[in-house]
């Protein structure tokens, strides 16, 4: 039983690291098209200007226009009707 400790430590560290990477990936990657906690904002926030960039999101099939904040460099994605 004493030889099991280092093995559990090695594999446990890998498993915990993998779970942390999954959580970070979910928290960072999945927020790309979300805007200030609102899932479907109808207009951009103050300071954002419209760009010519429009795309269809393959996940939901809706068309989105990209807005850009020149001061912060942030982008917002507003679904067009």
């Amino acid at each position: 039983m004493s030889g099991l400790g280092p093995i559990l430590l090695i594999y446990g560290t890998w498993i915990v690291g993998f779970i942390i990477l999954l959580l970070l990936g979910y928290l960072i990657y999945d927020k790309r098209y979300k805007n200030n906690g609102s899932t479907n904002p109808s207009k951009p926030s103050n300071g954002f200007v419209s760009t010519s960039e429009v795309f269809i999101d393959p996940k939901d099939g809706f068309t989105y226009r990209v807005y850009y904040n020149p001061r912060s460099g942030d982008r917002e994605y507003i679904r067009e009707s």
Side-chain angles (χ1 to χ4, degrees), residues 20-32 34:
I20 289 172
L21 286 176
L22 284 176
L23 288 173
L24 287 175
Y26 173 77
L27 293 173
I28 294 170
Y29 178 75
D30 197 41
K31 304 298 181 211
R32 290 182 305 164
K34 295 191 175 145

Side-chain angles (χ1 to χ4, degrees), residues 6-70:
I7 293 172
L8 287 176
L9 179 65
I10 292 171
Y11 288 112
T13 302
W14 279 100
I15 291 171
V16 168
F18 182 71
I19 290 171
I20 289 172
L21 286 176
L22 284 176
L23 288 173
L24 287 175
Y26 173 77
L27 293 173
I28 294 170
Y29 178 75
D30 197 41
K31 304 298 181 211
R32 290 182 305 164
Y33 302 128
K34 295 191 175 145
N35 178 10
N36 299 332
S38 175
T39 56
N40 293 320
S42 60
K43 61 181 183 177
S45 304
N46 289 337
F48 282 79
V49 295
S50 177
T51 68
S52 62
E53 186 176 348
V54 177
F55 66 95
I56 298 173
D57 189 349
K59 289 171 75 176
D60 58 15
F62 291 111
T63 302
Y64 290 86
R65 177 167 298 279
V66 179
Y67 290 83
Y68 175 73
N69 186 331

